[in-house]
Amino acid sequence: MALEKITEVVGTGVFVPGDAIDTDRIIPARYMKCVTFDGLGEHLFYDVRKNEDGSDKEHPLNDSRYSDATILLSGDNFGCGSSREHAPQALYRYGFRGIVAESFAEIFFGNCTTLGIPCFCASKEEIARIASAVEADPTLAITMDVSAREIRFAGETVSITMRETAHSSLINGKWDAIGELLEAKEDVIAVSKELPYFAG
Amino acid sequence: MSMGKNLFQKVWDAHTVRKLSNGETQLLIGTHLIHEVTSPQAFGMIRDLGLKVAYPHRTFATVDHIVPTDQRVQPFADPLADAMITELDNNCKEFGVTYFDIASGDQGIIHVVGPEQGITQPGTTIACGDSHTSTHGAFGAIAFGIGTTQIRDVLATQTMALSPMKVRRINVNGHLKPGVYAKDVILHIIRLWGVNGGTGFAYEYGGDVVDRFTMEERMTVCNMSIEGGARVGYVNPDETTFAYLKGRRYSPAEGEAWDKAVESWKSFASDADCSYDDVVNIKAEDIAPTVTWGINPGQAITIVDNIPTPESVSAEEKDITQEALDYMQLPAGEPIAGIPIDVAFIGSCTNGRLSDFIEAAEYLKGHKVASGIKALAVPGSQRVDVLCKEKGLDKIFEEAGFEWREAGCSMCLAMNPDKLIGQQLCASSSNRNFKGRQGSPTGRTILMSPVMVVAAAVTGKISDAREVFDVKELAEI
Ligand code: SF4
């Protein structure tokens, strides 16, 4: 299966401040009552964006200046909590193509990579610097350069960290593992034969 | 130089298929557990790709998240919930997967069902589209939550791509004081290292307290590993593990098969001379009944503590402390004991097993739920329900003023009719106190042990169960 090589994401950004933004907040559980992922985007961050009567709360995603943003900036331990892929799916379907945070929860990070969404780690100070540039000019173009492990904006460069395996998967177009996993049928049989419980 | 290996390394090596081009390992998943919320899209994906379930006999399904706990006959009042259950039913039929449905008498929360059926076994790899899959590590399995695309991978290939984790050994030694439970141990651990202290690690729990723990207590601890950031938590298999598994439906048959299995299970336990990436020690005597006060499970204090103030915490924690105080509407600097509650909930994959209800009933007996409090007791599985009823526990709960419900996730999360309303505050035996977790966008959750929930239910406020019930000295000392 030939996949696109994800070497960079270019777009405008939006800063959603806060630490430990969990997957329940990203997509409240009641919107997971679905048998496809279609339509999840509209419920992204629903409870922090909307009042109970459906009117808007104050939230960066309700600010029309950022409505075209494709790069999400946030804080520490982003995506903690449940393993629901509905969270990255909602982000993707809303339009986000890359995320920059101080750190990511592990399952969330893996789920994003599998969808081809690069997750960059940067320091609080650097993220604040990018966020203030975005605040000053919401149309500012930001480049998440996966290959070079850096973010460029307004002539500035911020270096980032990213797990090696995820980096390699994205730039080599191997972020969806299924093609490679399917190749190893014989090896799987061999390993499973060594495990008495597997035969059932 | 130590030569031995820890359990994680042994299980990992035994299940390694090969190295992938990005450096990750293709890992064989021995046991795949699925439920109605995260699997339908995965079945859709394999259908779209024209693939089949590679090893249908290694996948087991049940319904838990969305299933109503009162009205159990389909169609359910919620058409979306009904559609999801029908979808799971159809997928299991189409692909030949074992499905513990409501009619089977074996339905329940997937992390309760796997162990009680004997599906969860030592030395295995277990994956499930649910972060609390770490629960199964109590048996000495490497068990972790996965996303839907990985469910697709496991369905289609019985393998997935993963990198090995580091292993942190957590020793809990000494004796737990009266009124302190497994739930307090894990809340204490999460409190010490925070909600991402375990990122990149598998937690190996040990020490004499964990050695003495029953399987249900070990499950409670392993269950919440993920709340401390560790995707995997496990306990080495021992005689307690084997005794639990003996005679269960999917356990090896007694006789030769059993003896061989036990021998193999023992071989997976960490070697005495193995090394760990980190070792930490906790004194059991330092652990007190613990409750959360904030919006993540790391924001916890003991029942005799005061709610933090933004000034009392470190600079990095200031913002999240303020955010939590604003959301929880709790008085900073004041005692947590005495905060009025609206709802009491006993259940979930953390504390919805037989021993949880036995323990809670022992203290609840002869008391009444305070007026105006909605109190729910929800067994984690239909089997737990039957066992509780055999002991008459349901009657004790009902006489006290609890509603005794049918098995499911219930009020642990907001996908079925059991939900908080408005800003209600819930004393809950579940595992997550995130904003909106229990169904109302402004609902508030305080996590604690089942006995502490009972104390809150009968007093109508967050209370120290040791005072309310005059908790007796521990028999085991
Ligand atoms: S009881 Fe709660 S945490 Fe456990 S599986 Fe159900 S929803 Fe998830």
Side-chain angles (χ1 to χ4, degrees), chain B residues 6-253:
Chain B
N6 58 47
L7 178 139
F8 184 91
Q9 294 163 330
K10 293 186 197 182
V11 175
W12 185 270
D13 291 350
H15 291 78
T16 293
V17 175
R18 60 173 183 158
K19 256 266 189 307
L20 296 168
S21 62
N22 68 356
E24 287 187 304
T25 300
Q26 181 170 5
L27 193 72
L28 180 75
I29 301 303
T31 303
H32 187 200
L33 305 172
I34 60 172
H35 61 80
E36 76 281 19
V37 179
T38 54
S39 70
Q41 297 86 353
F43 281 108
M45 292 176 196
I46 64 167
R47 221 176 260 122
D48 289 348
L49 292 167
L51 298 168
K52 288 203 157 39
V53 176
Y55 296 91
H57 77 288
R58 294 312 309 165
T59 298
F60 302 88
T62 191
V63 309
D64 46 15
H65 287 69
I66 60 165
V67 71
T69 61
D70 44 6
Q71 189 276 111
R72 301 279 273 190
V73 185
Q74 275 190 271
F76 300 137
D78 177 352
L80 286 172
D82 203 69
M84 288 177 83
I85 294 197
T86 305
E87 181 87 5
L88 180 66
D89 195 13
N90 292 342
N91 286 331
C92 290
K93 283 200 185 102
E94 179 181 341
F95 293 99
V97 168
T98 305
Y99 173 33
F100 303 110
D101 65 3
I102 292 175
S104 69
D106 292 318
Q107 170 266 339
I109 305 171
I110 189 83
H111 312 309
V112 177
V113 171
E116 74 187 2
Q117 292 291 336
I119 294 166
T120 302
Q121 293 179 12
T124 62
T125 49
I126 302 177
C128 173
D130 190 282
S131 57
H132 293 100
T133 307
S134 58
T135 312
H136 306 264
F139 291 79
I142 299 304
F144 44 85
I146 57 177
T148 293
T149 302
Q150 289 167 323
I151 299 175
R152 173 205 66 184
D153 295 347
V154 178
L155 288 174
T157 70
Q158 203 63 33
T159 67
M160 59 177 280
L162 199 69
S163 294
M165 296 156 205
K166 291 180 285 184
V167 181
R168 173 178 292 150
R169 165 86 179 188
I170 302 179
N171 291 308
V172 188
N173 284 314
H175 285 277
L176 294 177
K177 291 193 190 143
V180 177
Y181 298 93
K183 180 65 160 283
D184 300 305
V185 172
I186 188 62
L187 284 172
H188 181 82
I189 289 170
I190 299 165
R191 181 188 174 195
L192 287 182
W193 289 290
V195 286
N196 52 5
T199 304
F201 281 96
Y203 279 176
E204 177 179 304
Y205 302 100
D208 52 29
V209 170
V210 177
D211 289 345
R212 286 193 302 269
F213 270 164
T214 64
M215 289 315 296
E216 298 198 350
E217 290 172 312
R218 293 177 187 180
M219 283 189 253
T220 298
V221 172
C222 290
N223 174 274
M224 289 188 71
S225 303
I226 186 70
E227 309 311 334
R231 197 170 177 183
V232 161
Y234 68 85
V235 176
N236 282 304
D238 62 7
E239 294 304 326
T240 306
T241 321
F242 310 145
Y244 177 99
L245 284 172
K246 203 161 201 168
R248 298 202 180 248
R249 193 200 307 187
Y250 287 87
S251 294

Side-chain angles (χ1 to χ4, degrees), chain A residues 33 85 106 169 176 180 198, chain B residues 18 22 78 148-149 152 200:
Chain A
K33 275 190 252 171
E85 192 170 305
E106 221 165 296
S169 308
D176 186 342
E180 220 177 334
F198 195 86
Chain B
R18 60 173 183 158
N22 68 356
D78 177 352
T148 293
T149 302
R152 173 205 66 184

Side-chain angles (χ1 to χ4, degrees), chain B residues 64-65 109-111 130 132 223 348-350 408-409 412-413 430-432 437:
Chain B
D64 46 15
H65 287 69
I109 305 171
I110 189 83
H111 312 309
D130 190 282
H132 293 100
N223 174 274
S348 88
C349 59
T350 315
C409 295
C412 177
L413 95 171
S430 57
N431 48 44
R432 286 198 171 133
R437 170 73 180 182

